[in-house]
Amino acid sequence: MKRRQGTTIVDIARLTGLSKSTVSRVLTDAPNISDEARDKVREVVRHTGYRPNDLARSLRSGRTGVVGLVIPDIANPFWADVARGAQDAASDSGTSILIFSSDWDPEREKRHFRALVQARVDGAIINPVRDSLDDIEDFNIPVVLIGSSAGRFSGLPSVGSDIEQGVALGLAHTGGLGLSQPTLIVGDAERSARVRFVAAVQAHVHGRHRTQDQTNEPLVVEDGHYTVEGGREAMARILSRRQTPDLIFAANDLMALGAMQAVRAAGLRCPEDISILGFDGIPAGAVSAPALTTVVKPSRQIGASGFALLSEGATGTRHLTLPCTLLERGSVAARALSVPLSDTPPSDTPPSDTHLSDTFPPRPPLLRAV
């Protein structure tokens, strides 16, 4: 039997002597089909190289095997990792994912969503950058929300990290090192993620002050952008006001890495002069100098769980909140470890015996990574 191009179910029915409906039931693994019929169909399929018409099948079933993912910044490694988690989960189930980046632009986000509807996707996973998603209901496709902004829309299923728990985790660590309350570098003022992050820090700081019977001091908050450049510029503005805070807490790792660059450019040291704490857990934090201490959000798990909620047809009552973890590295240390630079060697050490290492403060020990 020769291999044929464009073989159809009608061809297989003719070659096997079976009805088209029987062939279709064999190809879809329907029950109550005789072994003889299955063997005949499979033999013809093997020899002809038959491939199912996915488009025709999707039109019959109403499903395409494709879902959409709209994230705010594909260049941010955190969101790239969220996409990887969703893609891996989708691949395991034989589903493909179309990925769009909104670049924090509400109008671009809306265009992407319309494109997904036109592509007849089976559903969409979205980190919303808008305050209103009323038009989602008009598009009439299943939607799962991800990220810290998802809490604004209680009527839709969602999955995100526990920001409040993550903030408390990071600040409990820095507080244990004797560092004062943090100066914050956060994202754009109109983002709900910024509001939630600042509120979580405020609640933790106020709670600690009440416990220790201290007077609350207003938080210093510097607005910026969720990028390395945004963090660098925000840190430069803080330093330009002749402020040298004990601790900088950035709302994401990219801003934390930018802040570290600004500290170094100003002739200061991290963590000896200023400790820096990040939030996300992107790989770049491991190779900075010093390596970045950060609160790790479960990025891949967020993506995978978002797909799982979508594939199981979750309703608006399903809201998953995933815990964060703390990764301790070298960018945060107790100020007691800082030793001022000296122009002269210690008085009990003759200058001729002074080594280069003796003229600099000891490096703080690298905190254990967990």
Side-chain angles (χ1 to χ4, degrees), residues 224-258:
H225 302 285
Y226 290 113
T227 62
V228 172
E229 182 64 23
R232 184 165 57 242
E233 292 176 350
M235 187 72 237
R237 289 193 297 271
I238 293 170
L239 295 175
S240 71
R241 297 194 291 267
R242 299 191 179 280
Q243 298 174 353
T244 308
D246 278 356
L247 172 65
I248 293 292
F249 192 1
N252 80 356
D253 282 352
L254 291 180
M255 289 190 291
L257 294 173

Side-chain angles (χ1 to χ4, degrees), residues 115-188:
L116 291 175
V117 173
Q118 292 172 357
R120 301 175 58 88
V121 296
D122 298 328
I125 305 167
I126 304 177
N127 179 86
V129 300
R130 289 175 290 148
D131 288 329
S132 174
L133 290 176
D134 294 339
D135 52 343
I136 281 184
E137 297 180 358
D138 297 334
F139 290 134
N140 196 31
I141 65 172
V143 171
V144 170
L145 305 181
I146 57 173
S148 60
S149 299
R152 291 175 292 163
F153 310 100
S154 58
L156 293 171
S158 65
V159 55
S161 51
D162 192 336
I163 301 300
E164 291 73 18
Q165 173 261 346
V167 164
L169 196 63
L171 293 183
H173 172 63
T174 60
L177 294 172
L179 297 172
S180 62
Q181 73 180 37
T183 292
L184 306 186
I185 294 179
V186 297
D188 299 334

